[in-house]
Amino acid sequence: MNKKKDKKKIYIKTWGCQMNEHDSSIIKNILYKEKKFTFVNQPEISDILILNTCSIREKAQEKLFHQLGRWKKFKKKNSNIIIAIGGCVATQEGENIYKRAKFINIIFGTQSLHKLPQLIYQAYINKNLIIDIKEKSLKKFDYSPLKQTKKKFTSFVTIMEGCNKYCSFCIVPYTRGKEISRNNKEIILEIKKLTEIGVKEIILLGQNVNSYHINNKFNKKKYNFSDLLYSISEIPEINRIRYITSHPMDFSDDIIESYKYIPQLTNFLHLPVQSGSNKILRLMKRGYTIEVYENIINKLKHIRPKISISSDFIIGFPGETQEDFEKTLNFVSKINFDTSYSFIYSKRPGTRASKLEDNTSIEEKKNRLYILQKKINQQSFQWRRRMLGTTQEVLVEGIAKNNIQELYGRTENNRIIHFEGNPKHIGTFIQLKVIDINYNSYLKGIIK
Ligand code: SAH
Ligand code: F3S
């Protein structure tokens, strides 16, 4: 079974956030280690089809059945094909998916990834639905990217999962479950292993990274997010630390302080504010005001004058008036965000906001989104313009895809920059002078 031609071909389709992307890479690692599978990019030639779903904003159910409709055709031609559905929709909907699509074989939850090989073997023997969505542990991380041999220089590391915040619009607490933090020693071990394959930058991943904590036996916090940052900063090979996503409510002074002592923390922070109106923030149950948010940013800027901030915004939340919307626009100017993501509010089943009255038309919401995005883009352009002529420290990640004469990397504020250099620079930090800010939609630099 070990020859390539004897291996079962797997196609994985992933929707959604970085967490889901990362989960898919864990799935790949777990299955790769079995030595019985190989991965392909064409669903039509595969033996096993895996869909890792997301339900954060879209009409996830409809999208899922649409996708399954396409895969059903493959299964009609070859009834031995195994179809497995994972991710947030699987966790939330469970058996309901099977009721509408009786041809699927496996439904697995966001925490059951490590069981997938067993579930697949079972599915070959047992033609009934196999379902595993109850797992609550973080065992899947025992299968994190450890066995990688391919060189890479930047890597995600999950430090916690789930969320207890229950923002009124958000489905995550229902799909990813209660917050669980990974053991700090395991995290450090994983990062050290990653340094062996060249990793110099890590991106800590979690729904709420800054509420990371390990309790002692009296249930008191004994080790928190800033402690973890300090521990990571002691690993000499790690030169850059990023994290997504943090929450303003948990952005305590010890985390702000850590920017003074940990130069590896980048001058870039993604801290979602969602709205510039306190009334809307209250309805969203975000647990802070814009004044609290601004105060965090001011304290950070005091320590790191060059830090740039990005955010997420939700437009058209139930009850958002023109006045509330203008408050958001004003707040965007006031904080002077670097880049930001913005979305039209999407009603999620079972959330508290889904019960709120919503009188704003979709046309009006689209119009507000357009105005907001235009403003964000203008501001983002100004940030880029200010980079022109400056020297930026860049982690060189590889050869540019559209021009093999060039290399590419990322600046501290996460912008891709291309330059002519020697492949020996790959995996190193280099000082580049920015000479063009609109070069095939990237920055262009030259070696200083
Ligand atoms: N703390 C999380 C946030 C998860 S969702 C994280 O780790 O990223 C990412 C973003 O999606 C949120 O910040 C919010 O702006 C947006 N979002 C979440 N639920 C939404 C909804 N129901 N409608 C529109 N946007 C939503
Ligand atoms: Fe969602 Fe709010 Fe948690 S946005 S992930 S409920 S912090």
Side-chain angles (χ1 to χ4, degrees):
M1 186 90 168
N2 282 350
K3 280 198 217 116
K4 191 158 184 185
K5 70 177 175 52
D6 296 330
K7 290 184 178 178
K8 296 278 182 209
K9 296 195 235 9
I10 299 188
Y11 172 80
I12 306 179
K13 191 171 185 76
T14 310
W15 295 343
C17 62
Q18 279 100 343
M19 179 77 85
N20 244 21
E21 293 285 347
H22 192 57
D23 273 353
S24 285
S25 60
I26 295 178
I27 292 176
K28 260 192 161 172
N29 272 315
I30 290 167
L31 293 170
Y32 175 79
K33 281 186 193 168
E34 293 289 302
K35 298 195 165 60
K36 293 190 172 79
F37 306 106
T38 174
F39 298 95
V40 294
N41 291 324
Q42 302 113 296
E44 61 278 8
I45 60 159
S46 47
D47 305 300
I48 300 164
L49 295 159
I50 300 176
L51 179 61
N52 191 6
T53 60
C54 166
S55 56
I56 194 82
R57 277 178 296 273
E58 297 133 294
K59 298 195 166 78
Q61 277 83 339
E62 278 167 44
K63 199 173 157 193
L64 169 65
F65 290 111
H66 200 74
Q67 179 64 52
L68 285 176
R70 263 175 264 155
W71 284 1
K72 190 179 179 180
K73 291 186 193 128
F74 303 139
K75 189 128 183 179
K76 264 196 176 147
K77 280 192 199 145
N78 174 2
S79 64
N80 290 327
I81 287 178
I82 300 283
I83 298 183
I85 313 298
C88 290
V89 185
T91 309
Q92 209 185 6
E93 293 293 319
E95 226 163 319
N96 288 336
I97 303 172
Y98 181 70
K99 285 188 188 140
R100 268 181 68 183
K102 291 247 159 60
F103 55 91
I104 62 172
N105 304 81
I106 301 168
I107 296 176
F108 63 100
T110 45
Q111 303 306 338
S112 306
L113 315 185
H114 56 290
K115 296 183 182 159
L116 206 48
Q118 293 317 319
L119 301 178
I120 291 174
Y121 299 140
Q122 259 178 319
Y124 273 111
I125 302 165
N126 176 354
K127 291 291 167 204
N128 297 328
L129 175 73
I130 292 161
I131 180 159
D132 194 318
I133 52 175
K134 293 263 152 39
E135 177 75 46
K136 289 271 179 278
S137 75
L138 286 183
K139 252 193 134 135
K140 67 178 182 187
F141 293 116
D142 297 349
Y143 301 84
S144 286
L146 299 184
K147 247 261 152 83
Q148 286 182 6
T149 45
K150 219 172 122 203
K151 278 240 166 247
K152 66 174 182 171
F153 313 105
T154 173
S155 179
F156 288 110
V157 173
T158 305
I159 62 165
M160 56 85 66
E161 253 201 72
C163 183
N164 297 346
K165 295 267 187 307
Y166 289 91
C167 300
S168 65
F169 53 83
C170 185
I171 196 100
V172 169
Y174 306 93
T175 58
R176 291 266 170 187
K178 285 225 170 313
E179 195 183 285
I180 332 180
S181 294
R182 264 181 93 188
N183 178 291
N184 54 318
K185 292 196 180 78
E186 274 173 31
I187 296 172
I188 297 298
L189 192 71
E190 182 174 328
I191 297 175
K192 285 188 174 157
K193 290 236 165 126
L194 285 166
T195 64
E196 289 167 16
I197 57 163
V199 168
K200 297 195 169 143
E201 172 189 81
I202 52 145
I203 307 163
L204 305 173
L205 204 55
Q207 263 82 28
N208 249 301
V209 286
N210 56 335
S211 82
Y212 175 91
H213 65 274
I214 304 285
N215 284 350
N216 64 15
K217 60 178 180 217
F218 308 109
N219 231 2
K220 289 257 158 52
K221 276 188 196 182
K222 68 161 188 192
Y223 186 92
N224 63 16
F225 184 58
S226 61
D227 292 321
L228 182 66
L229 292 174
Y230 283 105
S231 300
I232 297 170
S233 74
E234 283 164 17
I235 304 175
E237 294 87 350
I238 297 296
N239 301 95
R240 257 187 197 172
I241 307 172
R242 301 182 189 275
Y243 51 85
I244 41 173
T245 306
S246 50
H247 193 292
M249 210 167 120
D250 296 318
F251 218 95
S252 45
D253 282 342
D254 55 313
I255 301 174
I256 298 174
E257 272 284 298
S258 70
Y259 278 79
K260 217 187 264 177
Y261 303 108
I262 307 181
Q264 295 94 322
L265 281 168
T266 51
N267 261 337
F268 179 76
L269 172 66
H270 182 66
L271 189 64
V273 68
Q274 311 295 358
S275 170
S277 153
N278 282 336
K279 179 191 100 190
I280 297 296
L281 289 176
R282 216 165 31 243
L283 287 171
M284 288 177 165
K285 305 241 179 281
R286 290 288 290 179
Y288 56 84
T289 58
I290 54 166
E291 289 77 17
V292 166
Y293 185 95
E294 200 182 340
N295 195 22
I296 296 169
I297 304 302
N298 286 343
K299 285 197 233 168
L300 271 171
K301 282 193 171 156
H302 189 71
I303 297 172
R304 295 284 191 93
K306 286 192 182 149
I307 196 162
S308 72
I309 311 295
S310 76
S311 175
D312 293 342
F313 291 95
I314 295 180
I315 287 308
F317 186 80
E320 184 192 75
T321 60
Q322 181 62 24
E323 195 189 337
D324 294 316
F325 174 62
E326 278 163 20
K327 284 185 178 161
T328 298
L329 289 179
N330 291 340
F331 200 61
V332 171
S333 304
K334 194 166 189 185
I335 300 294
N336 192 12
F337 289 101
D338 187 325
T339 48
S340 286
Y341 301 95
S342 45
F343 318 98
I344 290 183
Y345 166 71
S346 160
K347 190 170 169 171
R348 302 286 75 204
T351 57
R352 280 191 275 187
S354 67
K355 296 178 191 78
L356 297 175
E357 202 178 335
D358 188 0
N359 296 320
T360 315
S361 70
I362 186 69
E363 287 72 31
E364 177 57 30
K365 290 184 184 188
K366 282 186 182 160
N367 189 34
R368 285 181 195 169
L369 184 72
Y370 175 79
I371 295 168
L372 176 71
Q373 289 190 336
K374 203 163 151 194
K375 186 173 185 75
I376 288 171
N377 289 343
Q378 278 165 353
Q379 246 172 235
S380 183
F381 177 73
Q382 293 304 331
W383 272 95
R384 259 188 298 148
R385 209 173 55 86
R386 281 192 294 272
M387 289 173 83
L388 197 61
T390 62
T391 301
Q392 300 281 330
E393 188 176 64
V394 171
L395 172 57
V396 185
E397 290 180 34
I399 293 172
K401 285 197 182 78
N402 52 1
N403 181 354
I404 54 164
Q405 308 299 325
E406 287 179 349
L407 304 177
Y408 78 95
R410 272 172 206 271
T411 63
E412 249 190 273
N413 61 346
N414 219 7
R415 288 203 162 68
I416 296 178
I417 183 161
H418 286 215
F419 68 103
E420 279 156 35
N422 188 317
K424 74 169 196 260
H425 292 128
I426 295 171
T428 66
F429 285 90
I430 194 167
Q431 303 291 322
L432 294 181
K433 184 176 172 191
V434 181
I435 55 166
D436 190 349
I437 54 165
N438 224 347
Y439 177 75
N440 298 331
S441 73
Y442 303 112
L443 303 175
K444 165 112 190 185
I446 49 167
I447 298 173
K448 274 287 276 187

